[in-house]
Every structure is written in structure tokens, then in C-alpha cells.
């Protein structure tokens, strides 16, 4: 348990598994004896829209949402989502960006161009930026849907959380039939940082 | 052991622990998980009602019959249930009844951001506001006691941020509460004028008793610290206040109607500056000011949307806004959109192509209003489409009706579209109504309803036959079309629009996300030799197809489920099928 509140912002596109990810991270924080709050988005915003889950933990947490300039880590499941939420990051915070590209409507319809180099612009602004093709790692582990757990691995390793704690949480949350692939994907991610 | 629960799960747990045996709801974000979670408990009854009015009426019946009863809905659902609400507040309860109103400041998934604390004042019922999941559980339990003690239903008012935030909860044991005896008592339960007069007297009496209760209940508490700033607050904003002003003195209200006048006066007298922090309407602030207490609130704080700790610190103490990296301005917006393979997409493509006036309704298909489909003219509330189309016809004549359609989903039709259709037939309308039947309540996460043939617990139920219902209402022209067959749908629409009689076209195809939908037997690809880059497929707004700027060609993406829509709209036959 720690006095300072840790703030983790998990951003992505509805359907990418941000909800499950925030639940794994929150479970780890609970196991480690923290007060925890998680704010989720359900409903309309899930239909392929931009989604955000917020995890806050520490000795005592009040607000369930993270203020701008306060996040210690942004975990981005998609490139431009990292940039969209960047103002929530502390100036010395960390960003982990999955290079997956999901075209939003204005790009699909040709009204706007997808800013393909946006992750490099983020990296130029934020010294502690890590860019990863988690989707590719997940595919190699046996299931494209495990990309979120690759990112959980990187996050927990970067934060110095023991792997066993996270594996315990994954085992508690992920359905049994997907567990093996998820643990493999987690370990791949964990050793990257 | 403590565990994480979202507010909605905590409310269900609280009702269960309080011994509730009946729960009713119509799904609506952010309330859906409440009764869905309650249905997972054993030895209780839970239902998806056809709409919120019925949900409250069933709840009233269960309460009068002696059961502790939970009724849940989103804020606008309370409008649907307002008729029984205002009268049930007169009859009072037998078994305790708690009605949950899940409000949506910030309009995360709603058509307005009304503040339902107002209902408490107008319907003369106590309103309780929890500020985290533990309070959601504890206050729900207490609400049942208050309901029975003061002979009144109790509103538990929550917001999206409580409903969908997980916080730590210590759960308890279920208390078995036997049914209260049922006694015939028409003076209490038959609301005709003579009896209602007597009940009004009782209601006013119990409101006075509640005012007294408000002064001493543990639901309201003072947290005294630095007295230079005193803040009255309730609900999730309490958490923002604690975060932004850790040393301020706080009067935290758990019971927000009726207010504890004396407690507020005592608190006001002890602080130098008094501020009310409440999202949306100045419900507390205006009452406090009316008692001659100097207070501020909405002169600094907005009436719009959600608050946050950061916002409060900026507005109340002038802390600077955090630095912006400025990079978010380079990012294209990402609005929600219809899924790949969604049976609604073709409908709106066609409606725009045919330049029809479209009276729309509430569900996933409301997304047909936004770019690039842009196939909707109006959307007011649940079930409004059919009446709106009839009103347009009565204002502008049958010629206008010949280019107007009403579009409504299956669950929404059952919710409140049926009476609109009766009006069309009864009053000689010629409207064409499309019922988009995707066999579920999709937007809120696939809840069953009377026409799916399954209950909330996925048990078989008699299946409402929408076609037979529509015919029984008196619509002679009823047909069923597969909305993914655009030619058939277009022909059907042309024929029915030309008819000077009411028609219903049932567009029948299950939601693409339902597990029973079969996997595609072929895949779709773009033949680059033939594709001219005209982008007609792109205007479908589907994640399964995108445009390659360099080559000026369309391409099929991995998310494609081979619904065949882009293949049908391609004028050059450049989109083809191949074996998987």
C-alpha cells in the first residue's frame, strides 16, 4: 500500500478490451492492499467509439476519475488514442503505445487523413514513451485478442509489480479456456520492459 | 473480504441483502446492470418489463402485496413511469419499494441530462444519493427501511459515474424479510378523488416526519475542518470535493429530499463562505437560499455536464488549468458507429439514397443519423418515431407522407411504439413504418424483451409475434424483408410509400453481435482492376471497408463479416466473393 495515488489511464477503441484490462490492473491493486477505484464507459461509447478506463489506487482514493496532468501512465491500445488523451499525462509520465491502427469514421470516409506518425510525435513530447506492436505479439502467442494482456505485461513490468501478482489476477479474471494464451501473452509483454 | 463492484452491482447486492424478492426494469444505460445483476441471485424474481411504466406498476403491485421491491431505470425512463410514480407516492407502500433513477450528466449515452432529484420534490418522496459503491449498497438497504417506516417509495438517485465506477465494497448477509400481510385497503390503494384527498394529507404528514428524520439521520454528516470554506455536496461530486479541497469543511448529504434545514443552518453558521457543489440543477442551492442563507454555487459552476476535482479547483480557487501538449488537435474524432455486418446500415444507406424524411427512434440505429449515413431527421424519445411521422403527415398532407418513414427497433416498438401505430390506423394516417427487428435490445448490451422469446434469466417465454400484433392493430399491409437485401428492401419501400394506407415493413435480421449469428461462409475482396475509387462503399461507414489513398482503391479490412452490403452498392461489381 502506498500514500501517493497511482493513476493509470487505459485508452482505446470500443471492443479492444480496455474494460478487461482495467479490471486486471484493478485486481492487482486490490491484491496488494490498496484502496482502488475504476471508472468505465458502457453503452453508446462502446460501439467503436473512443473509450477510456481509469484506474486509481493508493491508501485512500476519492475521485473515480483522473484529472488532466495527473496520469502516471497512459496505456494506449491504438495509436491516435494515445495522442487524444495525452493531456491527462503528468509531464514526467509514461506512455505505452500499441501501433495498431483503427481508422475512425472521418478517416474511413476520407474526410481526414490518419496521422500515421502520431506515435512518433508523442514520443518526441514524452521521453518515457514505449512503442510496441502488441497485436503482432498476441498473434504469435495464439490469439489476436490477447494484445491487451501483452500491454498489461509491459505496464506491470515498468511499474515494478511482481509478475506472480499479475498472473494471479489474470487467472482470477480471464475465462479458463483463454487462460493459457493470456498468460503466455502476459509473460511476453512483461519481459519487454 | 472487500471486493470491487460497480455501483449498479452494489445496488443489486444491497437490495438482495435487504431481503428484496422482486425487481423490475427496462434496460437503459447507465442503469442496465442493476436488475441484470439482481437476476443472478437465487430465490428472487427479476424481470425485464416492456417499459418503465409497466416496471413501476409491477413494482407497486409487488409492494402492495407485501414484498420488498426494487425498480430501476435510466433518468428518462422515470418520465415514462411518471404517471404511476406520482400516484404511487400517494398510496404509499406495504413492502418497501426503492426506485433507482440513473441520471447521465455529460450525456454519455442519453438524449438529455435532466436532473431527477426534481422528481423527489414534485412527487413528495425521499431521495437518497450515494457517492460510491459501498454507500450504494448500504444506502439501498437503508432505503428499504425508510420506505416502510415512512410509508413511501424511496428514490435512489445515482449518476453514470457511480453506476459504472468500481469501488471497494464489503458485502453482508442477506436478511430474510417475510412478506408483509396483504390486507384489502381501498382508502389507501384506490386513488379516486375521495380517497386521494385523504392520502394527500398523509403524504404531507410523512414529508414533515421525513424532514425531522433528515436532521438526525447518519445519511447526512458534517465533516468539519478549516472553516474558511464550507461545501454542501452529495453523490459523486462529494468525491471530487474531497479530492480538490482536502481541508474544507463539508456537509455531505445522503438524503437530498427533504433537506435538513436546521443542520444546514448550523453548518452555514460555522463557515465563512458557503458553496453548494451539485451537478446539473441548483436543487439544493435554491432551497438553501430561500431560507435566507448566503450561499453560492451555480454563479461559478456550470449547469452542464459532469464535474471533476480539477474543474472544481479551477472554478472555486482559481487554480491554473494544466498545460496542454496541443497534440489532441491533430487527432480525428472517433464517434461510435454501427458494427460491421450490422443489419441497420443498409436501411439508412437506402433512406438517404431515396431522400426520404425519416422520423427516427432510440437504439443503436440512432447512429444512422450521423455521418456518413445521415439517414435520420428526428429522434425525440423512446417510441416517438411513429407519432412524429403521423404528425408530419397531418401538418403537411399525404404527399409528404409518401416520402416519410418512421424507423423504430423491435424493443423500442414494444416499449412505446405500439400506441403510436394504433393512432396511425385509428386516425387515418398513411404512414410507412419500418420496424428494425434485430431480435434483441442491442444498444444496452443485448437484453431480451417480449419478442425475443426469452426472459431475463434466458428461460423460454411466450414470444410476442410482432407481425400478428401489427395486423391485429389494423395494418393491412405488413411484410417482412431481410434488410441486407437492398433491392428487395427498396422495392418494398417504394411500394408501401405509394400506398395511401398505413404499412409496416419488418426488417428482420438478428444483431450481428449475437452469438447465434452464423460465421460467414465466404469472404469479400476488392478487385483492384475494376475498382474506380468512387467511394460509394466507403459511404456505408463500415469498419470492414476502407480507402487506400495512394492507390485510390477500396479495400476490405480484417473486421469484415461478409454481410455483402458493399458488394451490393458497388456499381462496377468490383467487390466480389471468394472462398474463405
Amino acid at each position: 500500500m502506498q500514500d501517493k495515488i497511482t493513476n493509470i489511464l487505459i485508452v482505446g477503441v470500443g471492443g479492444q478490451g480496455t474494460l478487461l484490462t482495467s479490471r486486471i490492473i484493478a485486481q492487482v491493486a486490490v491484491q496488494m492492499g490498496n484502496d482502488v477505484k475504476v471508472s468505465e464507459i458502457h453503452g453508446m461509447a462502446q460501439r467503436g467509439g473512443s473509450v477510456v478506463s481509469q484506474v486509481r489506487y493508493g491508501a485512500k482514493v476519492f475521485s473515480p476519475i483522473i484529472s488532466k496532468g495527473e496520469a502516471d501512465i497512459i496505456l494506449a491500445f491504438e495509436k491516435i488514442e494515445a495522442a487524444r488523451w495525452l493531456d491527462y499525462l503528468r509531464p514526467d509520465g509514461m506512455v505505452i503505445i500499441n501501433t495498431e491502427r483503427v481508422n475512425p469514421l472521418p478517416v474511413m470516409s476520407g474526410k481526414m487523413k490518419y496521422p500515421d506518425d502520431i506515435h512518433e510525435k508523442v514520443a518526441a513530447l514524452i521521453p518515457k514513451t514505449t512503442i510496441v506492436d502488441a497485436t503482432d505479439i498476441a498473434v504469435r502467442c495464439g490469439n489476436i485478442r490477447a494484445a491487451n494482456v501483452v500491454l498489461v505485461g509491459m505496464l506491470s513490468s515498468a511499474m515494478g509489480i511482481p509478475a506472480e501478482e499479475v498472473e494471479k489476477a489474470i487467472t482470477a479474471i480471464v475465462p479458463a479456456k483463454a487462460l493459457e494464451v493470456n498468460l503466455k501473452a502476459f509473460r511476453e509483454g512483461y519481459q519487454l520492459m | 473480504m472487500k471486493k470491487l463492484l460497480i455501483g449498479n452491482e452494489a445496488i443489486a447486492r444491497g437490495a438482495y441483502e435487504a431481503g428484496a424478492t422482486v425487481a423490475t426494469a427496462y434496460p437503459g444505460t447507465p442503469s442496465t446492470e442493476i436488475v441484470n445483476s439482481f437476476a443472478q441471485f437465487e430465490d428472487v424474481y427479476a424481470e425485464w418489463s416492456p417499459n418503465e411504466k409497466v416496471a413501476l406498476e409491477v413494482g407497486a403491485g409487488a409492494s402492495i402485496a407485501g414484498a420488498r421491491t426494487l425498480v430501476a431505470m435510466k433518468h428518462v425512463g422515470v418520465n415514462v413511469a411518471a404517471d404511476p410514480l406520482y400516484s404511487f407516492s400517494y398510496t404509499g407502500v406495504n413492502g418497501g419499494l426503492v426506485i433507482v433513477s440513473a441520471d447521465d450528466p455529460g450525456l454519455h449515452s442519453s438524449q438529455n441530462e435532466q436532473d431527477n432529484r426534481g422528481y423527489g420534490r414534485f412527487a413528495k418522496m425521499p431521495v437518497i444519493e450515494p457517492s460510491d459503491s459501498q454507500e450504494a449498497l448500504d444506502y439501498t438497504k437503508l432505503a428499504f427501511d425508510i420506505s416502510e417506516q415512512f410509508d413511501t417509495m424511496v428514490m435512489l438517485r445515482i449518476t453514470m459515474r457511480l453506476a459504472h465506477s468500481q469501488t471497494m465494497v464489503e458485502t453482508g448477509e442477506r436478511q430474510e424479510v417475510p412478506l408483509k400481510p396483504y390486507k384489502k385497503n381501498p382508502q389507501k390503494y384506490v386513488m379516486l378523488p375521495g380517497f386521494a384527498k385523504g392520502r394527500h394529507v398523509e403524504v404531507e404528514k410523512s414529508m414533515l416526519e421525513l424532514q425531522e428524520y433528515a436532521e438526525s439521520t447518519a445519511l447526512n454528516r458534517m465533516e468539519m475542518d478549516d472553516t474558511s470554506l464550507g461545501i454542501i455536496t452529495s453523490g459523486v461530486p462529494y468525491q471530487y470535493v474531497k479530492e480538490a479541497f482536502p481541508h474544507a469543511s463539508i456537509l455531505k448529504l445522503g438524503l437530498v429530499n427533504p433537506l435538513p434545514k436546521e443542520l444546514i443552518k448550523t453548518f452555514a453558521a460555522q463557515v465563512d463562505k458557503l458553496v453548494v457543489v451539485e451537478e446539473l440543477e441548483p436543487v439544493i442551492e435554491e432551497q438553501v437560499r430561500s431560507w435566507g442563507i448566503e450561499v453560492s454555487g451555480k454563479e461559478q459552476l456550470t449547469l452542464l455536464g459532469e464535474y471533476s476535482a480539477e474543474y472544481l479547483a479551477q472554478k472555486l480557487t482559481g487554480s491554473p488549468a494544466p498545460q496542454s501538449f496541443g497534440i489532441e488537435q491533430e487527432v480525428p474524432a472517433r464517434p461510435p458507429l454501427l458494427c460491421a455486418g450490422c443489419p441497420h446500415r443498409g436501411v439508412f444507406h437506402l433512406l438517404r439514397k431515396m431522400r426520404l424524411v425519416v422520423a427516427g427512434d432510440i437504439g443503436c440505429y440512432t447512429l444512422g443519423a450521423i455521418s456518413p449515413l445521415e439517414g435520420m431527421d428526428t429522434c425525440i424519445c423512446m417510441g416517438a418515431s411513429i407519432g412524429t411521422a403521423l404528425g408530419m403527415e397531418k401538418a403537411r398532407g399525404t404527399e409528404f407522407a409518401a416520402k416519410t418513414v418512421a424507423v423504430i427497433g423491435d424493443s423500442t416498438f414494444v416499449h412505446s411504439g405500439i400506441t403510436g401505430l394504433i393512432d396511425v390506423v385509428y386516425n387515418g394516417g398513411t404512414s410507412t413504418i419500418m420496424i428494425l427487428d434485430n431480435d434483441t435490445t442491442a444498444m444496452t448490451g443485448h437484453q431480451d424483451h417480449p419478442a425475443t422469446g426469452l426472459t431475463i434469466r434466458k428461460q423460454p417465454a411466450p414470444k410476442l409475434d410482432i407481425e400478428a400484433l401489427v395486423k391485429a392493430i389494423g395494418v393491412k399491409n405488413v411484410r417482412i424483408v431481410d434488410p441486407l437485401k437492398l433491392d428487395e428492401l427498396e422495392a418494398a419501400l417504394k411500394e408501401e410509400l405509394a400506398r395511401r394506407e398505413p404499412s409496416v415493413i419488418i426488417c428482420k435480421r438478428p444483431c450481428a453481435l449475437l452469438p447465434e449469428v452464423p460465421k460467414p461462409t465466404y469472404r469479400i475482396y476488392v478487385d483492384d482492376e475494376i475498382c474506380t475509387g468512387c467511394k460509394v462503399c466507403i459511404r456505408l461507414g463500415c469498419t470492414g471497408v476502407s480507402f487506400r489513398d495512394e492507390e485510390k482503391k477500396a479495400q476490405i479490412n480484417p473486421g469484415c463479416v461478409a454481410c455483402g452490403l458493399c458488394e451490393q452498392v458497388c456499381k462496377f461489381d468490383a467487390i466480389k466473393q471468394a472462398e474463405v
Side-chain angles (χ1 to χ4, degrees):
Chain A
M1 191 153 42
Q2 48 190 41
D3 273 354
K4 189 202 153 297
I5 305 294
T6 301
N7 297 298
I8 302 170
L9 202 66
I10 301 150
V11 301
V13 180
Q16 278 190 318
T18 51
L19 221 62
L20 185 74
T21 304
S22 62
R23 290 190 167 193
I24 292 171
I25 296 167
Q27 178 62 32
V28 173
V30 171
Q31 284 165 201
M32 295 172 79
N34 292 285
D35 185 25
V36 183
K37 288 193 177 176
V38 186
S39 198
E40 306 172 343
I41 298 281
H42 301 202
M44 178 76 96
Q46 281 180 296
R47 296 278 175 273
S50 172
V51 290
V52 56
S53 284
Q54 322 193 22
V55 182
R56 310 191 73 212
Y57 63 86
K60 174 73 189 159
V61 181
F62 289 109
S63 168
I65 54 175
I66 298 170
S67 293
K68 281 188 177 163
E70 194 188 51
D72 299 283
I73 300 189
I74 293 180
L75 195 60
F77 285 42
E78 201 270 358
K79 278 198 284 192
I80 58 174
E81 295 309 313
R84 187 188 315 281
W85 296 94
L86 200 64
D87 281 355
Y88 283 81
L89 193 71
R90 261 177 27 202
D92 60 342
M94 182 194 299
V95 190
I96 300 173
I97 307 176
N98 184 19
T99 52
E100 173 138 358
R101 165 177 171 166
V102 181
N103 287 342
L105 242 170
V107 173
M108 279 161 45
S109 59
K111 283 185 184 155
M112 279 182 87
K113 281 213 160 209
Y114 188 96
D116 229 352
D117 59 344
I118 194 111
H119 55 300
E120 286 151 22
K121 288 189 179 167
V122 171
L125 287 167
I126 310 296
K128 288 192 229 164
T129 299
T130 305
I131 295 162
V132 63
D133 189 345
T135 311
D136 179 57
I137 297 170
V139 170
R140 280 195 279 112
C141 289
N143 190 343
I144 189 165
R145 295 178 63 88
N148 54 352
V149 186
V150 175
L151 295 171
V152 170
M154 296 173 70
L155 172 95
S156 39
S157 161
M159 294 178 69
I161 299 171
E164 310 80 68
E165 283 289 348
V166 190
E167 292 189 12
K168 196 171 134 194
I170 292 173
T171 308
I173 289 171
V174 171
K177 61 176 187 205
L179 186 60
E180 200 182 322
V181 173
N182 274 279
L183 286 176
K184 195 173 165 199
F186 165 73
R187 286 168 195 150
E188 287 280 332
Y190 198 85
Q191 65 180 27
L192 281 177
M193 299 287 279
Chain B
M1 199 195 93
K2 282 194 172 189
K3 57 180 172 184
L4 284 170
L5 290 181
I6 58 169
N8 284 348
E9 292 166 333
I11 292 167
R13 179 76 209 178
Y16 177 73
E17 290 182 10
T21 52
V22 175
T24 64
Y26 180 79
T29 313
S31 71
T32 311
E33 300 84 358
I34 299 170
V35 170
N36 217 10
S37 311
F38 189 82
Q40 314 306 317
F41 296 119
E42 282 174 22
D43 303 325
V44 296
Y45 173 78
E47 71 165 42
W48 291 133
S49 311
N51 67 29
E52 295 85 353
K53 179 175 186 288
V54 176
L56 183 53
E57 289 156 351
V58 173
S63 161
I64 293 168
R68 286 196 156 188
T69 304
L70 179 72
V71 181
M73 55 198 66
K74 68 181 293 172
H75 61 329
V76 287
V78 181
N79 304 337
V80 178
D83 200 1
L85 181 98
Y86 279 90
S87 299
F88 189 57
S89 82
Y90 270 32
T91 67
V93 302
N94 186 21
L97 186 137
V98 176
I99 176 170
V100 185
S101 169
D103 293 13
D104 192 9
L107 298 116
H108 295 274
S109 197
S110 302
Q111 69 268 39
N112 76 16
E113 47 183 349
Q114 71 187 49
D115 186 333
N116 277 5
R117 292 177 301 166
Y119 272 109
R121 299 196 70 197
F122 291 135
K124 311 266 179 181
M125 78 187 148
V127 179
I128 290 176
E129 260 198 299
S131 71
D132 62 19
S133 298
Q134 183 69 61
E135 285 186 356
L137 189 153
D138 296 341
Y139 287 11
T140 302
K141 283 165 82 171
L142 187 59
F144 281 101
D145 295 337
I146 294 173
S147 172
E148 288 172 3
Q149 187 185 339
F150 296 94
D151 190 9
T152 173
M153 85 185 118
V154 175
M155 177 177 274
L156 188 82
R157 189 256 188 176
I158 61 168
T159 57
M160 170 275 179
R161 203 52 79 173
L162 179 123
H164 293 159
S165 289
Q166 300 186 60
T167 73
M168 305 291 283
V169 176
E170 183 93 60
T171 58
E173 294 297 310
R174 173 167 166 94
Q175 172 197 359
E176 292 300 338
V177 180
L179 287 177
K180 293 251 181 102
Y182 174 73
K183 266 205 319 259
K184 180 169 172 172
N185 187 355
Q187 281 80 7
K188 183 168 175 352
Y189 295 119
V190 177
M191 284 304 91
L192 50 74
F195 296 161
K197 249 182 213 168
R199 287 307 304 170
H200 193 181
V201 175
E202 295 301 318
V203 170
E204 297 304 339
K205 244 192 248 170
S206 74
M207 281 313 280
L208 287 177
E209 287 164 18
L210 272 158
Q211 264 164 31
E212 225 166 280
Y213 174 82
E215 302 292 354
S216 59
T217 173
L219 287 166
N220 301 326
R221 65 166 189 262
M222 286 202 280
E223 298 175 6
M224 297 311 292
D225 197 337
D226 179 356
T227 52
S228 61
L229 175 64
I231 298 175
I232 302 176
T233 188
S234 67
V236 179
Y238 164 77
Q239 307 291 352
Y240 304 146
V241 166
K242 290 294 280 185
E243 181 114 4
F245 312 104
H247 301 297
S249 291
I250 297 171
L251 173 57
K252 181 192 182 293
L253 299 177
L255 182 62
V256 295
N257 189 63
L259 290 176
K261 190 173 171 180
E262 296 308 319
L263 184 67
I264 288 172
K265 281 185 175 168
T266 307
F267 180 72
Q270 290 178 46
V271 297
D272 301 339
K273 186 183 175 215
L274 184 65
V275 181
V276 177
V277 172
E278 52 189 330
E279 286 171 338
L280 303 176
E281 298 301 311
V283 177
I284 299 171
E285 182 190 344
E286 284 181 352
Q287 292 180 76
V288 172
R289 186 170 297 119
S290 76
W291 301 328
I293 298 169
E294 199 179 315
V295 63
S296 68
K298 294 297 174 186
E299 57 208 68
Q300 301 129 286
L301 302 172
T302 178
L303 291 160
L304 315 177
E306 282 189 284
Y307 290 175
S308 65
E310 170 198 347
Y311 171 78
L312 294 178
Q314 280 172 41
K315 287 291 169 181
L316 296 181
T317 52
S319 4
Q323 290 263 306
S324 171
F325 294 106
I327 193 170
E328 83 282 356
Q329 284 150 20
E330 298 178 33
V331 178
R334 192 187 296 278
L337 73 180
L338 297 172
C339 308
C342 176
H344 302 324
R345 178 173 284 107
V347 171
F348 290 97
H349 164 79
L350 204 57
L351 295 177
R352 189 198 55 218
K353 188 182 121 186
M354 294 173 72
R355 297 172 188 276
L356 296 175
V357 174
V358 180
D361 225 301
I362 291 184
C364 288
Y365 50 94
T366 317
L367 294 171
I370 59 176
S371 174
L373 289 166
E374 296 169 337
M376 194 178 287
D377 292 56
T378 67
C379 172
I380 312 293
C381 69
M382 289 288 287
S385 57
I386 302 177
T388 306
L390 179 65
M392 287 175 159
E393 174 178 356
K394 295 303 178 188
R396 304 190 74 92
T398 47
E399 286 309 313
F400 195 79
K403 51 178 188 175
T404 302
V405 292
V407 176
I408 185 166
D410 47 342
S411 186
T412 309
F413 179 68
V414 176
H415 177 281
S416 49
I418 299 167
T419 41
L421 187 59
I422 291 171
D423 193 18
V424 170
V425 174
Y426 173 54
N427 283 308
T430 66
S431 314
T432 300
I433 292 118
M434 302 174 83
I435 299 176
L436 309 187
D437 182 358
N438 64 356
D439 205 28
T440 187
T441 316
M443 183 90 257
T444 46
H446 295 133
Q447 287 74 33
D448 284 288
H449 61 71
T452 68
L454 292 171
T455 68
I456 191 170
R457 290 189 211 260
K458 297 278 174 200
Q459 296 302 307
K463 186 171 169 148
L464 172 69
D465 182 339
I466 291 180
E467 185 188 4
L469 171 68
V470 166
K471 284 182 177 160
I473 285 172
V475 179
K476 284 182 252 158
N477 315 296
V478 186
R479 52 165 90 194
I480 296 177
V481 180
D482 179 349
L484 285 184
K485 292 185 176 151
L486 288 180
D487 289 345
E488 280 178 38
L489 186 59
E490 185 166 2
L493 259 172
K494 281 184 177 156
E495 216 171 291
E496 299 305 339
L497 283 163
R499 229 189 272 276
R500 297 287 172 106
E501 282 181 336
S503 326
V504 170
I505 301 171
I506 302 173
C507 298
K508 204 166 174 55
R509 180 169 273 269
C511 169
L513 299 184
L514 286 175
E516 60 265 31
V517 172
K519 292 250 181 304
T521 52
Y522 57 88
R523 66 179 181 88
I524 301 273
Y525 73 99
V526 176
D527 187 334
D528 280 0
E529 298 287 308
I530 306 175
C531 179
T532 62
C534 75
K535 289 192 181 174
V536 68
C537 55
I538 302 300
R539 285 218 65 180
L540 290 170
C542 179
T543 50
V545 54
S546 58
F547 198 69
R548 288 168 290 164
D549 281 325
E550 303 74 33
E551 295 95 330
K552 302 261 179 284
K553 307 272 180 205
Q555 76 173 11
I556 302 300
N557 299 327
C560 171
V561 296
C563 74
L565 212 57
C566 55
E567 191 189 342
Q568 292 175 62
V569 301
C570 180
K571 295 177 195 124
F572 305 98
D573 293 329
I575 301 182
K576 297 177 172 173
Q577 299 181 6
E579 277 179 36
V580 179

